[in-house]
């Protein structure tokens, strides 16, 4: 019996789709049978992030409305034979699927896969309610900004109201040099406010832009810092205890001077 | 002079992250209580109306706030009483 994990955030543009793609690919690379489900109907993107946009025939709405069987709509990944994508419909809207239909789909996916990663759309309306409908666990993605943390707080409240207890937090796009300067909220600041368990911290990394350009998830790039962060998150999702990445910036001349004067 | 050196070396008294955290703390008090400023205002008016049946209060000096400590939000009202109303005092 598999597990359904929803990746959500409230705010748009914080990295839900990138996170979904990387966690899903990471779990597949570890040998699990995985399906990625894009529930952002009308604004699908998981297909391009995965580099599978040219292979779409059927989509999520075709499956839930009975136009095709689940197996017909699943797209095989280029890299792993045990990784699949169920793309969102692009020409319909969020109301073309109901939470009840998503629950039915979730049951079917659990029979077939070890993990289903649900990429949730931004917002708290029907798209969100659909995405969380059949989920067993939730991962909340948040960047170290006031707006993202506020929306994450709202989402955590809504998840708990929907009985999705103990959501886990991913802090995305953290910039260690800004944190050090005191110009960006730190991990502890955000945990202090949101009061949920942390499952990973992903540093801001240009390699994410490059990997998205290519349609190759960064988790497979051994030289990518963000990729390393996602590899660790993947292991934590499987229940392993993994230390946080060391994100310290090397101290420069100014720091040494400050230390000397006793200001640090 | 020391302050100047501190500033030069980048040790500002209020870093922007502290500002961010404080603003978030305040905004989340309201978000979590899911009470809008408009609703808070209505509640305040209703409260004043009810209390005014029993006592004369100083509306100008009335303090009415949602406060948060740790994981609790509390509605704290400080309502200065000018005098008790005679008719209610007599009835009691």
């Amino acid at each position: 019996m598999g597990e359904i994990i929803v990746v959500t955030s409230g705010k748009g543009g914080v990295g839900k789709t990138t996170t979904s793609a990387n966690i899903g690919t990471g779990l597949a690379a570890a040998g699990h049978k995985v399906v990625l489900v894009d529930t952002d109907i009308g604004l699908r993107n998981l297909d391009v992030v995965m580099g599978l946009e040219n292979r779409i025939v059927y989509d999520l709405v075709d499956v839930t409305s009975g136009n095709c069987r689940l197996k017909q709509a699943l797209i095989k990944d280029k890299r792993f034979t045990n990784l699949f994508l169920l793309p969102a419909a692009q020409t319909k809207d969020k109301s073309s699927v109901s939470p009840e239909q998503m629950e039915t789909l979730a049951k079917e996916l659990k029979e077939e896969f070890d993990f289903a990663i649900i990429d949730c759309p931004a917002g708290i309306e029907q798209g969100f309610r659909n995405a969380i409908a059949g989920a067993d666990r939730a991962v909340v993605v948040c960047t170290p900004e006031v707006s993202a943390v506020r929306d994450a707080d709202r989402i955590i409240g809504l998840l708990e109201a929907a009985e999705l207890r103990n959501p886990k937090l991913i802090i995305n796009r953290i910039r260690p040099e800004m944190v050090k300067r005191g110009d960006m909220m730190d991990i502890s600041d955000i945990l202090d406010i949101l009061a949920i368990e942390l499952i990973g911290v992903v540093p801001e990394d240009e390699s994410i832009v490059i990997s998205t350009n290519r349609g190759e998830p960064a988790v497979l790039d051994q030289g990518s810092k963000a990729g390393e962060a996602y590899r660790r998150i993947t292991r934590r999702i499987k229940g392993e205890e993994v230390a946080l990445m060391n994100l310290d910036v090397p101290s420069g001349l100014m720091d040494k001077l400050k230390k000397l004067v006793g200001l640090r | 002079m020391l302050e100047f050196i501190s500033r030069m070396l980048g040790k500002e008294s209020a870093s922007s992250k502290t500002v961010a955290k404080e603003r978030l703390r305040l905004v989340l008090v309201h978000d979590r209580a899911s009470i809008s400023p408009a609703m808070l205002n209505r509640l305040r008016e209703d409260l004043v109306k009810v209390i005014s049946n029993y006592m004369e209060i100083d509306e100008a000096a009335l303090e009415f706030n949602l406060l948060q400590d740790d994981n609790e939000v509390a509605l704290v009202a400080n309502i200065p009483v000018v005098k008790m109303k005679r008719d209610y005092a007599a009835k009691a």
Side-chain angles (χ1 to χ4, degrees):
Chain A
M1 194 71 167
E3 217 178 348
I4 314 273
I5 303 175
V6 61
V7 178
T8 181
S9 73
K11 191 178 177 299
V14 297
K16 283 179 295 299
T17 302
T18 306
T19 300
S20 304
N22 280 290
I23 290 177
T25 308
L27 287 168
H32 299 281
K33 193 173 178 197
V34 181
V35 60
L36 290 162
V37 183
D38 189 349
T39 60
D40 203 346
I41 300 167
L43 289 168
R44 76 171 169 218
N45 271 323
L46 194 49
D47 54 340
V48 285
V49 173
M50 292 296 293
L52 301 171
E53 66 274 18
N54 294 329
R55 308 183 178 197
I56 298 177
V57 181
Y58 294 108
D59 57 48
L60 175 67
V61 178
D62 289 322
V63 175
T64 54
S65 59
N67 281 348
C68 73
R69 282 173 294 114
L70 173 62
K71 286 226 165 93
Q72 289 176 286
L74 291 173
I75 298 164
K76 277 201 190 90
D77 182 65
K78 298 180 205 168
R79 295 139 289 219
F80 298 99
T81 53
N82 52 335
L83 178 60
F84 296 84
L85 169 71
L86 180 55
Q90 184 69 326
T91 53
K92 308 221 171 61
D93 63 55
K94 308 288 193 262
S95 62
S96 2
V97 176
S98 71
E100 293 72 31
Q101 289 174 323
M102 285 300 293
E103 276 177 44
T104 312
L105 174 67
K107 281 190 196 122
E108 204 177 336
L109 293 175
K110 277 194 204 187
E111 301 283 325
E112 202 67 32
F113 296 92
D114 300 327
F115 291 98
I117 310 294
I118 315 284
D119 183 20
C120 178
I124 54 173
E125 296 82 19
Q126 175 139 16
F128 169 73
R129 290 198 299 274
N130 285 341
I132 66 167
D136 302 305
R137 289 204 256 171
V139 170
V140 176
V141 184
C142 167
T143 56
E145 292 158 305
V146 178
S147 48
V149 176
R150 183 192 196 178
D151 290 0
D153 187 79
R154 185 107 168 80
I155 284 294
I156 292 163
L158 292 171
L159 288 171
E160 291 194 342
E163 313 258 299
L164 254 175
R165 309 260 175 233
N166 301 320
K168 302 287 191 288
L169 182 71
I170 291 181
I171 301 176
N172 198 12
R173 293 214 200 113
I174 200 152
R175 296 170 63 171
E177 69 295 343
M178 285 194 80
V179 171
K180 199 174 180 189
R181 242 191 283 146
D183 277 332
M184 182 175 268
M185 281 185 282
D186 197 359
I187 299 164
S188 62
D189 296 322
I190 298 169
L191 291 181
D192 201 24
I193 291 165
L194 295 179
I196 65 170
E197 210 182 303
L198 184 72
I199 199 167
V201 179
V202 184
E204 172 89 69
D205 188 351
E206 286 186 3
S207 72
I208 288 290
V209 180
I210 298 166
S211 66
T212 308
N213 287 346
R214 298 208 163 108
E216 299 277 352
V219 71
L220 302 174
D221 177 355
Q222 296 298 322
S224 158
K225 271 198 166 182
E228 171 62 24
Y230 282 123
R231 284 193 287 280
R232 289 180 192 226
I233 291 170
T234 305
R235 288 166 61 196
R236 287 184 202 112
I237 283 179
K238 299 197 300 171
E240 288 178 43
E241 291 253 350
V242 189
L244 281 178
M245 256 170 94
N246 180 17
L247 294 174
D248 281 348
V249 274
S251 42
L253 183 66
M254 255 337 232
D255 290 302
K256 283 176 189 151
L257 193 67
K258 279 187 221 172
K259 211 171 262 173
L260 203 70
V261 193
L263 283 170
R264 282 180 60 93
Chain B
M1 185 59 192
L2 191 66
E3 200 186 332
F4 174 73
I5 295 171
S6 289
R7 197 157 292 241
M8 281 298 289
L9 292 170
K11 203 190 184 191
E12 300 233 354
S13 47
S15 64
S16 68
K17 96 158 194 191
T18 319
V19 178
K21 213 180 160 188
E22 182 56 23
R23 289 178 57 221
L24 257 173
R25 199 184 60 78
L26 287 173
V27 80
L28 288 184
V29 172
H30 291 270
D31 284 4
R32 284 182 189 169
S34 33
I35 288 178
S36 67
M39 184 180 160
L40 203 63
N41 228 352
R42 277 210 304 281
L43 176 58
R44 177 196 167 113
E45 282 164 17
D46 285 351
L47 210 62
V48 166
K49 219 185 292 168
V50 172
I51 294 169
S52 301
N53 286 336
Y54 299 86
M55 54 195 82
E56 205 172 287
I57 58 173
D58 183 359
E59 267 194 63
L62 186 146
E63 283 173 40
F64 192 70
N65 281 308
L66 270 179
L67 297 179
Q68 183 190 28
D69 58 317
D70 289 331
N71 281 324
E72 250 180 28
V73 177
L75 180 64
V76 178
N78 186 0
I79 311 169
V81 179
V82 180
K83 63 179 177 192
M84 298 303 288
K85 289 206 171 163
R86 194 179 295 275
D87 46 348
Y88 276 95
K91 272 179 208 161

